[in-house]
Amino acid sequence: MKEKFAVKLLLLCCNLFFFSTCNAQKTTDYPKISNVELLEKRLQKTEQEILQNPQKSQLLLQKAYILDSLQNYLDALETINVFLRKEPQNIAGYYLRGKIKISLRDESGAINDFNKILSLNPKEAEAYFQRGLLRLQFKDTSGACLEFQKAKELKYSKAIESYQKFCQKIN
């Protein structure tokens, strides 16, 4: 139950982050300074908490998310890798690592992370959806449509929209 909440919270945060970067041309390519300052303060606090509670691995997940939000992708990747070595069954960690790998343009690595999520839980619709988006990047529309179809069957609303947009015209 706790992990499902963490996954949903992480996905919400990631979607908010990706939504803001999608609109970068309308506003700015960088977050507002105040947001960066708040994130950096939160990062410092999280690092102190990690030193005080090194056994509390969830703090590593939190640190990786903050680093990702700060667009410090290499440190975020290093941190999430440490987290996943401690918690290799944690779906939220693989979601975040997949998102980080997308930011680093390691699409095949991201696909591997989404595959890992599906090996842990074949009903994770977001993982199918993310693989579909990556397949679109590789110009594999029919493969993307299969991924969107699977996510759509699992009632994932974004997949329904994407299926209608990319797949109905080819089926």
Side-chain angles (χ1 to χ4, degrees):
M1 178 80 167
K2 204 176 199 183
E3 186 174 294
K4 257 192 169 176
F5 176 75
V7 169
K8 293 203 183 291
L9 180 62
L10 179 63
L11 289 175
L12 173 65
C13 292
C14 288
N15 285 334
L16 289 173
F17 173 74
F18 281 102
F19 176 75
S20 68
T21 59
C22 289
N23 292 323
Q25 278 104 18
K26 293 180 185 173
T27 56
T28 177
D29 288 340
Y30 302 99
K32 293 180 182 175
I33 297 299
S34 60
N35 291 340
V36 171
E37 289 171 0
L38 289 173
L39 286 169
E40 287 174 347
K41 284 180 184 177
R42 185 65 195 140
L43 177 61
Q44 288 175 350
K45 185 177 180 191
T46 302
E47 287 173 337
Q48 289 171 351
E49 290 174 9
I50 290 170
L51 289 174
Q52 294 168 355
N53 303 299
Q55 75 287 355
K56 197 170 177 184
S57 58
Q58 287 295 101
L59 292 170
L60 291 168
L61 180 63
Q62 183 175 331
K63 178 182 177 182
Y65 173 73
I66 295 167
L67 288 166
D68 178 59
S69 296
L70 288 167
Q71 299 176 1
N72 186 343
Y73 302 123
L74 293 176
D75 287 345
L77 182 61
E78 183 180 323
T79 303
I80 199 66
N81 285 338
V82 172
F83 171 77
L84 286 169
R85 280 194 292 277
K86 291 182 176 197
E87 292 198 29
Q89 304 297 310
N90 190 292
I91 290 173
Y94 289 105
Y95 271 119
L96 181 55
R97 190 168 74 177
K99 299 279 190 175
I100 293 167
K101 287 181 178 180
I102 290 169
S103 297
L104 290 169
R105 301 206 184 335
D106 177 9
E107 290 85 1
S108 63
I111 287 174
N112 289 337
D113 283 329
F114 297 125
N115 288 343
K116 179 65 177 177
I117 291 167
L118 292 169
S119 75
L120 293 171
N121 182 359
K123 293 186 177 187
E124 286 291 332
E126 170 77 7
Y128 290 107
F129 177 72
Q130 290 297 328
R131 284 195 326 190
L133 293 177
L134 288 165
R135 288 184 188 278
L136 282 178
Q137 283 185 288
F138 292 122
K139 309 279 190 252
D140 178 9
T141 306
S142 61
C145 289
L146 291 173
E147 301 286 4
F148 293 150
Q149 176 64 38
K150 184 66 178 168
K152 187 176 130 182
E153 290 169 8
L154 294 168
K155 311 269 189 272
Y156 189 68
S157 62
K158 288 183 182 179
I160 295 167
E161 295 166 17
S162 295
Y163 187 85
Q164 290 171 343
K165 182 175 181 180
F166 297 106
C167 305
Q168 281 188 333
K169 55 187 164 200
I170 63 170
N171 287 336

PDB file of all heavy atoms in Angstrom, residues 111 131-148 166-167 170:
ATOM      1  N   ILE A 111      13.827   1.786 -21.587  1.00  0.00           N
ATOM      2  CA  ILE A 111      12.961   0.642 -21.933  1.00  0.00           C
ATOM      3  C   ILE A 111      13.257  -0.532 -21.007  1.00  0.00           C
ATOM      4  O   ILE A 111      12.330  -1.210 -20.528  1.00  0.00           O
ATOM      5  CB  ILE A 111      13.109   0.260 -23.419  1.00  0.00           C
ATOM      6  CG1 ILE A 111      12.417   1.326 -24.286  1.00  0.00           C
ATOM      7  CG2 ILE A 111      12.534  -1.128 -23.694  1.00  0.00           C
ATOM      8  CD1 ILE A 111      12.617   1.149 -25.773  1.00  0.00           C
ATOM      9  N   ARG A 131       6.714   2.913 -22.538  1.00  0.00           N
ATOM     10  CA  ARG A 131       7.360   2.160 -23.635  1.00  0.00           C
ATOM     11  C   ARG A 131       6.757   2.565 -24.970  1.00  0.00           C
ATOM     12  O   ARG A 131       7.467   2.667 -25.967  1.00  0.00           O
ATOM     13  CB  ARG A 131       7.203   0.653 -23.420  1.00  0.00           C
ATOM     14  CG  ARG A 131       8.105   0.099 -22.369  1.00  0.00           C
ATOM     15  CD  ARG A 131       8.247  -1.390 -22.358  1.00  0.00           C
ATOM     16  NE  ARG A 131       7.065  -2.144 -22.732  1.00  0.00           N
ATOM     17  CZ  ARG A 131       6.947  -3.453 -22.595  1.00  0.00           C
ATOM     18  NH1 ARG A 131       7.933  -4.157 -22.067  1.00  0.00           N
ATOM     19  NH2 ARG A 131       5.847  -4.064 -22.949  1.00  0.00           N
ATOM     20  N   GLY A 132       5.453   2.821 -24.990  1.00  0.00           N
ATOM     21  CA  GLY A 132       4.810   3.276 -26.223  1.00  0.00           C
ATOM     22  C   GLY A 132       5.364   4.607 -26.688  1.00  0.00           C
ATOM     23  O   GLY A 132       5.651   4.802 -27.873  1.00  0.00           O
ATOM     24  N   LEU A 133       5.548   5.534 -25.758  1.00  0.00           N
ATOM     25  CA  LEU A 133       6.122   6.833 -26.116  1.00  0.00           C
ATOM     26  C   LEU A 133       7.532   6.675 -26.663  1.00  0.00           C
ATOM     27  O   LEU A 133       7.912   7.336 -27.643  1.00  0.00           O
ATOM     28  CB  LEU A 133       6.135   7.765 -24.899  1.00  0.00           C
ATOM     29  CG  LEU A 133       4.778   8.221 -24.374  1.00  0.00           C
ATOM     30  CD1 LEU A 133       4.960   9.075 -23.122  1.00  0.00           C
ATOM     31  CD2 LEU A 133       3.998   8.988 -25.442  1.00  0.00           C
ATOM     32  N   LEU A 134       8.304   5.795 -26.040  1.00  0.00           N
ATOM     33  CA  LEU A 134       9.664   5.570 -26.527  1.00  0.00           C
ATOM     34  C   LEU A 134       9.650   4.927 -27.919  1.00  0.00           C
ATOM     35  O   LEU A 134      10.456   5.282 -28.776  1.00  0.00           O
ATOM     36  CB  LEU A 134      10.442   4.705 -25.535  1.00  0.00           C
ATOM     37  CG  LEU A 134      10.826   5.432 -24.250  1.00  0.00           C
ATOM     38  CD1 LEU A 134      11.263   4.453 -23.169  1.00  0.00           C
ATOM     39  CD2 LEU A 134      11.910   6.453 -24.519  1.00  0.00           C
ATOM     40  N   ARG A 135       8.728   4.022 -28.146  1.00  0.00           N
ATOM     41  CA  ARG A 135       8.634   3.402 -29.482  1.00  0.00           C
ATOM     42  C   ARG A 135       8.282   4.456 -30.536  1.00  0.00           C
ATOM     43  O   ARG A 135       8.768   4.389 -31.663  1.00  0.00           O
ATOM     44  CB  ARG A 135       7.617   2.272 -29.479  1.00  0.00           C
ATOM     45  CG  ARG A 135       8.101   1.049 -28.730  1.00  0.00           C
ATOM     46  CD  ARG A 135       7.093  -0.086 -28.837  1.00  0.00           C
ATOM     47  NE  ARG A 135       7.405  -1.193 -27.997  1.00  0.00           N
ATOM     48  CZ  ARG A 135       8.269  -2.164 -28.288  1.00  0.00           C
ATOM     49  NH1 ARG A 135       8.911  -2.138 -29.431  1.00  0.00           N
ATOM     50  NH2 ARG A 135       8.487  -3.152 -27.446  1.00  0.00           N
ATOM     51  N   LEU A 136       7.441   5.422 -30.170  1.00  0.00           N
ATOM     52  CA  LEU A 136       7.136   6.510 -31.103  1.00  0.00           C
ATOM     53  C   LEU A 136       8.397   7.285 -31.466  1.00  0.00           C
ATOM     54  O   LEU A 136       8.575   7.678 -32.625  1.00  0.00           O
ATOM     55  CB  LEU A 136       6.108   7.470 -30.509  1.00  0.00           C
ATOM     56  CG  LEU A 136       4.649   7.034 -30.538  1.00  0.00           C
ATOM     57  CD1 LEU A 136       3.772   8.081 -29.862  1.00  0.00           C
ATOM     58  CD2 LEU A 136       4.165   6.782 -31.954  1.00  0.00           C
ATOM     59  N   GLN A 137       9.282   7.490 -30.494  1.00  0.00           N
ATOM     60  CA  GLN A 137      10.540   8.185 -30.769  1.00  0.00           C
ATOM     61  C   GLN A 137      11.381   7.422 -31.789  1.00  0.00           C
ATOM     62  O   GLN A 137      12.092   8.022 -32.574  1.00  0.00           O
ATOM     63  CB  GLN A 137      11.359   8.364 -29.490  1.00  0.00           C
ATOM     64  CG  GLN A 137      10.853   9.467 -28.600  1.00  0.00           C
ATOM     65  CD  GLN A 137      11.765   9.680 -27.426  1.00  0.00           C
ATOM     66  OE1 GLN A 137      11.822   8.869 -26.513  1.00  0.00           O
ATOM     67  NE2 GLN A 137      12.501  10.780 -27.457  1.00  0.00           N
ATOM     68  N   PHE A 138      11.295   6.106 -31.751  1.00  0.00           N
ATOM     69  CA  PHE A 138      12.037   5.266 -32.689  1.00  0.00           C
ATOM     70  C   PHE A 138      11.268   5.037 -33.985  1.00  0.00           C
ATOM     71  O   PHE A 138      11.638   4.198 -34.792  1.00  0.00           O
ATOM     72  CB  PHE A 138      12.377   3.911 -32.057  1.00  0.00           C
ATOM     73  CG  PHE A 138      13.365   3.991 -30.933  1.00  0.00           C
ATOM     74  CD1 PHE A 138      13.031   3.526 -29.669  1.00  0.00           C
ATOM     75  CD2 PHE A 138      14.622   4.538 -31.121  1.00  0.00           C
ATOM     76  CE1 PHE A 138      13.935   3.583 -28.623  1.00  0.00           C
ATOM     77  CE2 PHE A 138      15.534   4.601 -30.074  1.00  0.00           C
ATOM     78  CZ  PHE A 138      15.181   4.129 -28.828  1.00  0.00           C
ATOM     79  N   LYS A 139      10.163   5.775 -34.165  1.00  0.00           N
ATOM     80  CA  LYS A 139       9.316   5.674 -35.369  1.00  0.00           C
ATOM     81  C   LYS A 139       8.678   4.293 -35.521  1.00  0.00           C
ATOM     82  O   LYS A 139       8.350   3.865 -36.614  1.00  0.00           O
ATOM     83  CB  LYS A 139      10.112   6.016 -36.638  1.00  0.00           C
ATOM     84  CG  LYS A 139      10.882   7.321 -36.574  1.00  0.00           C
ATOM     85  CD  LYS A 139       9.997   8.498 -36.850  1.00  0.00           C
ATOM     86  CE  LYS A 139      10.817   9.760 -37.028  1.00  0.00           C
ATOM     87  NZ  LYS A 139      10.730  10.686 -35.954  1.00  0.00           N
ATOM     88  N   ASP A 140       8.492   3.607 -34.391  1.00  0.00           N
ATOM     89  CA  ASP A 140       7.846   2.299 -34.383  1.00  0.00           C
ATOM     90  C   ASP A 140       6.388   2.489 -33.969  1.00  0.00           C
ATOM     91  O   ASP A 140       5.988   2.173 -32.845  1.00  0.00           O
ATOM     92  CB  ASP A 140       8.581   1.353 -33.427  1.00  0.00           C
ATOM     93  CG  ASP A 140       7.931  -0.019 -33.317  1.00  0.00           C
ATOM     94  OD1 ASP A 140       7.008  -0.328 -34.104  1.00  0.00           O
ATOM     95  OD2 ASP A 140       8.344  -0.787 -32.425  1.00  0.00           O
ATOM     96  N   THR A 141       5.583   3.014 -34.883  1.00  0.00           N
ATOM     97  CA  THR A 141       4.192   3.342 -34.558  1.00  0.00           C
ATOM     98  C   THR A 141       3.380   2.099 -34.233  1.00  0.00           C
ATOM     99  O   THR A 141       2.587   2.102 -33.292  1.00  0.00           O
ATOM    100  CB  THR A 141       3.544   4.118 -35.722  1.00  0.00           C
ATOM    101  OG1 THR A 141       4.361   5.241 -36.025  1.00  0.00           O
ATOM    102  CG2 THR A 141       2.166   4.607 -35.342  1.00  0.00           C
ATOM    103  N   SER A 142       3.583   1.028 -34.988  1.00  0.00           N
ATOM    104  CA  SER A 142       2.784  -0.170 -34.702  1.00  0.00           C
ATOM    105  C   SER A 142       3.151  -0.751 -33.338  1.00  0.00           C
ATOM    106  O   SER A 142       2.271  -1.193 -32.592  1.00  0.00           O
ATOM    107  CB  SER A 142       2.945  -1.208 -35.806  1.00  0.00           C
ATOM    108  OG  SER A 142       4.291  -1.624 -35.916  1.00  0.00           O
ATOM    109  N   GLY A 143       4.439  -0.731 -32.975  1.00  0.00           N
ATOM    110  CA  GLY A 143       4.844  -1.184 -31.644  1.00  0.00           C
ATOM    111  C   GLY A 143       4.286  -0.286 -30.556  1.00  0.00           C
ATOM    112  O   GLY A 143       3.845  -0.751 -29.506  1.00  0.00           O
ATOM    113  N   ALA A 144       4.301   1.018 -30.819  1.00  0.00           N
ATOM    114  CA  ALA A 144       3.741   1.979 -29.860  1.00  0.00           C
ATOM    115  C   ALA A 144       2.257   1.709 -29.657  1.00  0.00           C
ATOM    116  O   ALA A 144       1.760   1.747 -28.527  1.00  0.00           O
ATOM    117  CB  ALA A 144       3.966   3.402 -30.351  1.00  0.00           C
ATOM    118  N   CYS A 145       1.572   1.430 -30.741  1.00  0.00           N
ATOM    119  CA  CYS A 145       0.128   1.176 -30.639  1.00  0.00           C
ATOM    120  C   CYS A 145      -0.164  -0.075 -29.822  1.00  0.00           C
ATOM    121  O   CYS A 145      -1.148  -0.107 -29.063  1.00  0.00           O
ATOM    122  CB  CYS A 145      -0.484   1.080 -32.030  1.00  0.00           C
ATOM    123  SG  CYS A 145      -0.531   2.695 -32.854  1.00  0.00           S
ATOM    124  N   LEU A 146       0.681  -1.087 -29.938  1.00  0.00           N
ATOM    125  CA  LEU A 146       0.499  -2.285 -29.109  1.00  0.00           C
ATOM    126  C   LEU A 146       0.670  -1.944 -27.625  1.00  0.00           C
ATOM    127  O   LEU A 146      -0.083  -2.426 -26.781  1.00  0.00           O
ATOM    128  CB  LEU A 146       1.494  -3.373 -29.521  1.00  0.00           C
ATOM    129  CG  LEU A 146       1.266  -4.008 -30.883  1.00  0.00           C
ATOM    130  CD1 LEU A 146       2.420  -4.949 -31.243  1.00  0.00           C
ATOM    131  CD2 LEU A 146      -0.062  -4.761 -30.913  1.00  0.00           C
ATOM    132  N   GLU A 147       1.659  -1.103 -27.331  1.00  0.00           N
ATOM    133  CA  GLU A 147       1.884  -0.681 -25.940  1.00  0.00           C
ATOM    134  C   GLU A 147       0.709   0.153 -25.430  1.00  0.00           C
ATOM    135  O   GLU A 147       0.214  -0.054 -24.322  1.00  0.00           O
ATOM    136  CB  GLU A 147       3.180   0.133 -25.825  1.00  0.00           C
ATOM    137  CG  GLU A 147       4.433  -0.588 -26.272  1.00  0.00           C
ATOM    138  CD  GLU A 147       4.934  -1.664 -25.324  1.00  0.00           C
ATOM    139  OE1 GLU A 147       4.286  -1.949 -24.290  1.00  0.00           O
ATOM    140  OE2 GLU A 147       5.995  -2.228 -25.622  1.00  0.00           O
ATOM    141  N   PHE A 148       0.266   1.109 -26.247  1.00  0.00           N
ATOM    142  CA  PHE A 148      -0.868   1.946 -25.857  1.00  0.00           C
ATOM    143  C   PHE A 148      -2.129   1.098 -25.672  1.00  0.00           C
ATOM    144  O   PHE A 148      -2.923   1.344 -24.764  1.00  0.00           O
ATOM    145  CB  PHE A 148      -1.134   3.047 -26.883  1.00  0.00           C
ATOM    146  CG  PHE A 148      -0.045   4.089 -26.984  1.00  0.00           C
ATOM    147  CD1 PHE A 148       0.190   4.734 -28.184  1.00  0.00           C
ATOM    148  CD2 PHE A 148       0.741   4.437 -25.893  1.00  0.00           C
ATOM    149  CE1 PHE A 148       1.174   5.702 -28.294  1.00  0.00           C
ATOM    150  CE2 PHE A 148       1.729   5.397 -25.986  1.00  0.00           C
ATOM    151  CZ  PHE A 148       1.949   6.036 -27.199  1.00  0.00           C
ATOM    152  N   PHE A 166      -2.706   8.352 -32.311  1.00  0.00           N
ATOM    153  CA  PHE A 166      -1.703   7.743 -33.179  1.00  0.00           C
ATOM    154  C   PHE A 166      -2.138   6.439 -33.855  1.00  0.00           C
ATOM    155  O   PHE A 166      -1.568   6.063 -34.868  1.00  0.00           O
ATOM    156  CB  PHE A 166      -0.412   7.459 -32.395  1.00  0.00           C
ATOM    157  CG  PHE A 166       0.242   8.684 -31.863  1.00  0.00           C
ATOM    158  CD1 PHE A 166       0.174   8.989 -30.509  1.00  0.00           C
ATOM    159  CD2 PHE A 166       0.927   9.543 -32.696  1.00  0.00           C
ATOM    160  CE1 PHE A 166       0.787  10.130 -30.013  1.00  0.00           C
ATOM    161  CE2 PHE A 166       1.537  10.689 -32.219  1.00  0.00           C
ATOM    162  CZ  PHE A 166       1.468  10.984 -30.869  1.00  0.00           C
ATOM    163  N   CYS A 167      -3.122   5.760 -33.277  1.00  0.00           N
ATOM    164  CA  CYS A 167      -3.370   4.393 -33.714  1.00  0.00           C
ATOM    165  C   CYS A 167      -4.681   4.185 -34.472  1.00  0.00           C
ATOM    166  O   CYS A 167      -4.769   3.282 -35.292  1.00  0.00           O
ATOM    167  CB  CYS A 167      -3.336   3.454 -32.507  1.00  0.00           C
ATOM    168  SG  CYS A 167      -1.794   3.604 -31.584  1.00  0.00           S
ATOM    169  N   ILE A 170      -4.359   4.121 -38.233  1.00  0.00           N
ATOM    170  CA  ILE A 170      -3.656   3.028 -38.916  1.00  0.00           C
ATOM    171  C   ILE A 170      -4.363   1.682 -38.742  1.00  0.00           C
ATOM    172  O   ILE A 170      -4.003   0.732 -39.381  1.00  0.00           O
ATOM    173  CB  ILE A 170      -2.185   2.922 -38.455  1.00  0.00           C
ATOM    174  CG1 ILE A 170      -2.070   2.578 -36.974  1.00  0.00           C
ATOM    175  CG2 ILE A 170      -1.409   4.154 -38.815  1.00  0.00           C
ATOM    176  CD1 ILE A 170      -0.670   2.234 -36.534  1.00  0.00           C
TER     177      ILE A 170
END
